[in-house]
Amino acid sequence: MPKDIQAIIFQKAKQVFYLPPPLLPHPPVTANQSNSLDFGATQLLEAPARFSRQRTDAVETATSDDQFRNQQLLNTPSAFTANDNAAFHNAVRAAYRQVFGNVQPMESERLLSAESKLRNGDINVREFVRRLAQSDFYRSRFFDAVSPHRAVELNFKHLLGRPPQNQAEVASHVALIATSGFTEEINSYLDSDEYLKSFGEETVPYQTSWNSPVGQPQAAFNRIAALEQNFAGSDTAVGTKSQLLGNLVSGYRLSIRVPAQVYRSASLSQTGGTAAGSGGMLVPVKRNSADGGDSTPMRGDLYVGFGLGQRQQEVFERCNGDSADQITALIRSVYRQVLGNPHVMDSERNLTAESQFAEGRLSTREFIRAIGLSSDYRRRFFETNAPYRFVELNFKHILGRAPASQAEMSEHLQRLAIHGYEAEINSYVDSEEYQNTFGENTVPYLRVATENGREQVSFNRHIALVQGYAASDTIQCASSLQNSVATRSTPTNWSNTTVRINRLGAASGSADPTSKRFRIVVNAQPAGGRQRNPNASYVVSGNDITSQLGYIHRRGGRIISVTEIT
C-alpha cells in the first residue's frame, strides 16, 4: 500500500477513535485558593512540608514484615526533596503544628533530641512524627485527658490528615487501644499503607480531606471542618467529647460552622429578602464598642487593643557613660514603674537616693529598693490599701507581673504579717526571679509577653492590673485579683481582653472634653508603615487625642477630619 494512502487512513482513524488528552494534575492549592478558606481553616503552609537527609547506613533492623516492606520500598529518599536548613525548620514547624493540633509547645516541651536526629539524618520525617505522637506532651493532651472516641478521631486528623470514615473504623481503633495500648495505636497509623501512600517517609502529614481525594466520601469535608474548627484554634480548646460520634453512629448531619467572630447571619431585611451575592446571607461582623475595632492599630506591638497602645513599652538600662539626661530618664522611669504611674511632686521625691544613683553609688536595683522602702510608697500602697492589694501591686511594680497562684500570695501575706513591711519589699528585690529578669542595671518593666513557665491566664491578670497606660494604681484600694488567684480563673470583667476600658469610659456628649469621643479620618499613610490600608479612621477619647495626632504626623499621615461622636 502506498505511503500516502497509509497516512490518509491513519489520519481518518485518529479522527474516528480520537481520545482526549489525559487530564493533567491540578497545581498545588495555595492558602489563598484553598477550599477551606471560607471556613476559618486555611493552612499556614502553601504546600506540604518535606525534608530528607536520610543516611543509607542508618537503616534500623526490620522487626516486622511491614517495616521490612517499607524499608525496601521507601528507603531511598527522592532526589528532589529539599535537605537544607530552611526545609528542616519548615518541616519541624509543620510537624509540631499538625501533630500537636495547633498547640504550641514551650521550649522545655519540645523534643530537641528527635529534632537533632532528624537534622543529622538519623531518622526520617515519619519517625520524627512517630516520636511526636508518642511523646508525653501528646499523650497527656490527646489521650489521657479525652474520651476514647475523641482520641481516635484526633489521631486520624493529626496522623492521617482526615476524619474517620465510619463508626466501624473508630470501633476497631478503640478496641486496639483497649487490648494493645497507646503506643500500638499510634503505630497503627504510621505503619499503615495509607500513611505511606499519602505521605511516604519524607512528607509531614497535612489535611487531605479539603480537596475530596479519591476514596474518601463527600462527608469527609464536613467532618474535617468540624474537627478543624478554625485555623487559629487548638484541639485542646474544643473539649474532651467526640465531635463526630453523633454523625458516625446516628447519621446526624454535620453543618459547616462559620466562625462567629468573622461572620454572622444577616436578616432578610438586611439582604432584601434574598441570599443574592457572593456572600449569601453572611455579612462581616462590625464591632459596636469604641475600642478601635473599626480602625487600624495605633501601634504594631504587643500592647495594641489592651489600653496600652498609646505608648510603646520601653526598657531602661543603666550603662557606663550615660549622660545627665539619660540618668534623668532612668530616674523618671523608676518612679513611673515603682510608684504605679503617679504624678510625683518635688516634695515627694527621694532626692538622697536620686543623688546616690546619679553618682553611681547605688545600682538600679538598689535604687528600686530605696523607692520601695520610701515613706511615699508606704503611704500610697501599704497604709491605704488592703493587704491583698498591696501584695499584688508589689508584684506588678517590682517584678513586672501579676501573682501566679494563691500559694504565692499567701507566702507574701505571711511574710508581711510576721516580718513586716521592709522584709516584704526586700523579698522581691532580692529574689532570684528579679536577678534573672532584670539584673542590677535594668529598670523593671511590665512583662506582658508570654514567658516560659507562666500560665496563659497570667496575661489576663496582668491586663487587669495595668488597665491602661494612663491609669494610676492609687485610685483603687481593693484587690483586683483576689478571686481570680484563689479560684484559678480569669479576673472579673477581663475574660475578654479585647476591650479597652479607658476608651469605653469615654462618654459622647460629655461636658468635659477629655471624656468625649472623637473620630479621626486619616489619608496618605506611607506604604511602608504599619497600616494595611491607605485610608483609616481612629476612635479616640479626648485624653488620647493629642498623642494620637502626634503619632499620625510622625508616621507621615494626613488628617482629613476630626469629628465628635454623638
Side-chain angles (χ1 to χ4, degrees):
M1 184 181 295
K3 293 184 178 180
D4 55 346
I5 297 178
Q6 291 180 357
I8 294 174
I9 295 175
F10 180 73
Q11 184 67 26
K12 294 295 184 181
K14 286 178 62 178
Q15 294 177 1
V16 175
F17 300 99
Y18 172 76
L19 296 176
L23 295 176
L24 297 177
H26 291 287
V29 178
T30 64
N32 291 333
Q33 300 169 336
S34 172
N35 294 330
S36 61
L37 183 62
D38 292 333
F39 305 104
T42 55
Q43 295 183 5
L44 177 66
L45 305 175
E46 292 188 357
R50 306 185 67 193
F51 174 77
S52 175
R53 199 174 289 172
Q54 183 74 28
R55 297 176 180 173
T56 57
D57 58 349
V59 179
E60 299 180 0
T61 303
T63 58
S64 64
D65 294 339
D66 290 339
Q67 190 175 2
F68 178 79
R69 182 188 69 246
N70 297 341
Q71 289 180 357
Q72 299 299 315
L73 295 177
L74 299 167
N75 185 39
T76 304
S78 170
F80 302 100
T81 302
N83 59 0
D84 56 358
N85 286 332
F88 166 76
H89 290 294
N90 190 41
V92 168
R93 181 179 62 171
Y96 277 116
R97 190 179 189 92
Q98 172 67 21
V99 179
F100 286 172
N102 206 22
V103 179
Q104 181 65 33
M106 297 290 187
E107 288 296 325
S108 58
E109 296 172 322
R110 296 179 59 177
L111 277 68
L112 299 180
S113 175
E115 291 183 27
S116 177
K117 290 183 178 181
L118 177 63
R119 181 194 294 271
N120 295 334
D122 297 331
I123 60 175
N124 53 34
V125 171
R126 183 166 71 104
E127 291 305 316
F128 180 66
V129 170
R130 188 192 306 273
R131 300 190 183 200
L132 293 182
Q134 293 179 352
S135 64
D136 294 337
F137 184 95
Y138 188 91
R139 177 166 186 152
S140 64
R141 286 162 174 79
F142 307 118
F143 183 73
D144 294 337
V146 299
S147 64
H149 280 76
R150 177 64 174 167
V152 169
E153 71 185 22
L154 287 178
N155 290 341
F156 272 100
K157 175 191 173 185
H158 297 161
L159 304 179
L160 294 183
R162 67 168 178 88
Q165 295 182 359
N166 49 54
Q167 179 59 23
E169 198 172 39
V170 176
S172 65
H173 281 273
V174 171
L176 179 62
I177 293 175
T179 56
S180 303
F182 169 74
T183 302
E184 289 302 320
E185 161 70 3
I186 298 300
N187 289 336
S188 67
Y189 300 94
L190 293 166
D191 294 333
S192 65
D193 291 335
E194 179 182 354
Y195 183 96
L196 294 173
K197 291 178 181 179
S198 301
F199 312 116
E201 299 280 2
E202 307 162 1
T203 303
V204 177
Y206 56 92
Q207 306 301 345
T208 61
S209 297
W210 291 129
N211 297 325
S212 299
V214 176
Q216 291 192 25
Q218 184 64 33
F221 186 92
N222 298 64
R223 290 170 184 159
I224 196 63
L227 289 179
E228 191 76 6
Q229 298 286 335
N230 56 71
F231 179 72
S234 69
D235 289 338
T236 58
V238 177
T240 61
K241 297 182 180 180
S242 172
Q243 302 296 303
L244 305 179
L245 184 59
N247 174 260
L248 294 174
V249 175
S250 305
Y252 293 154
R253 187 181 65 177
L254 287 173
S255 58
I256 304 295
R257 288 180 289 182
V258 180
Q261 67 270 24
V262 180
Y263 293 96
R264 66 181 171 210
S265 298
S267 63
L268 292 178
S269 61
Q270 290 175 302
T271 56
T274 63
S278 60
M281 297 294 292
L282 301 176
V283 296
V285 170
K286 295 182 179 180
R287 305 183 193 178
N288 296 322
S289 60
D291 64 344
D294 59 345
S295 65
T296 54
M298 290 189 297
R299 295 289 189 274
D301 55 23
L302 292 168
Y303 315 100
V304 174
F306 305 110
L308 302 177
Q310 293 88 340
R311 300 290 189 276
Q312 195 167 11
Q313 178 68 37
E314 296 178 280
V315 178
F316 293 89
E317 183 178 4
R318 178 74 180 269
C319 301
N320 293 331
D322 282 346
S323 64
D325 291 339
Q326 290 171 325
I327 297 295
T328 302
L330 284 170
I331 294 174
R332 189 164 53 245
S333 67
V334 168
Y335 279 123
R336 184 172 66 243
Q337 172 65 26
V338 180
L339 294 182
N341 201 27
H343 176 72
V344 182
M345 306 292 288
D346 287 340
S347 59
E348 297 173 324
R349 294 171 58 182
N350 194 331
L351 299 179
T352 302
E354 287 185 29
S355 176
Q356 293 177 345
F357 175 70
E359 294 174 359
R361 291 187 289 166
L362 285 182
S363 64
T364 305
R365 184 169 72 96
E366 293 303 322
F367 185 41
I368 296 290
R369 188 197 306 274
I371 301 301
L373 295 176
S374 65
S375 59
D376 189 47
Y377 189 92
R378 185 182 186 114
R379 175 181 57 82
R380 289 173 183 267
F381 307 115
F382 177 66
E383 296 175 353
T384 59
N385 288 341
Y388 269 85
R389 177 64 174 172
F390 175 63
V391 171
E392 71 186 17
L393 287 179
N394 291 341
F395 273 100
K396 174 191 173 184
H397 297 159
I398 303 178
L399 293 183
R401 65 171 176 88
S405 64
Q406 181 62 35
E408 199 173 41
M409 288 287 295
S410 299
E411 176 187 352
H412 284 274
L413 288 170
Q414 292 178 10
R415 181 181 293 108
L416 179 64
I418 297 173
H419 301 287
Y421 173 84
E422 293 187 4
E424 164 67 6
I425 298 298
N426 290 331
S427 66
Y428 300 95
V429 182
D430 295 331
S431 66
E432 183 178 356
E433 178 182 358
Y434 185 99
Q435 293 279 9
N436 294 335
T437 306
F438 308 117
E440 290 289 335
N441 299 317
T442 302
V443 178
Y445 52 86
L446 302 179
R447 295 151 61 188
V448 178
T450 303
E451 297 176 350
N452 187 14
R454 291 174 61 189
E455 296 180 344
Q456 184 64 32
V457 71
S458 64
F459 182 88
N460 302 68
R461 292 172 182 164
H462 184 100
I463 299 301
L465 277 181
V466 175
Q467 296 201 356
Y469 183 85
S472 174
D473 291 337
T474 58
I475 62 175
Q476 178 180 339
C477 60
S479 173
S480 299
L481 305 177
Q482 182 175 358
N483 293 332
S484 172
V485 174
T487 60
R488 296 180 58 85
S489 60
T490 54
T492 306
N493 299 328
W494 282 97
S495 58
N496 181 2
T497 55
T498 61
V499 178
R500 307 181 64 174
I501 63 171
N502 60 320
R503 293 202 173 185
L504 288 177
S508 61
S510 173
D512 185 3
T514 60
S515 61
K516 293 182 178 181
R517 291 184 295 159
F518 299 88
R519 184 183 301 276
I520 307 174
V521 180
V522 183
N523 194 9
Q525 290 281 57
R530 289 194 175 99
Q531 289 194 196
R532 296 176 181 266
N533 302 315
N535 299 308
S537 64
Y538 300 93
V539 178
V540 299
S541 65
N543 282 326
D544 299 332
I545 191 169
T546 301
S547 61
Q548 182 61 30
L549 292 176
Y551 171 74
I552 294 172
H553 287 305
R554 288 193 300 272
R555 299 298 299 171
R558 180 165 60 89
I559 297 175
I560 298 177
S561 63
V562 179
T563 55
E564 181 183 355
I565 299 178
T566 59

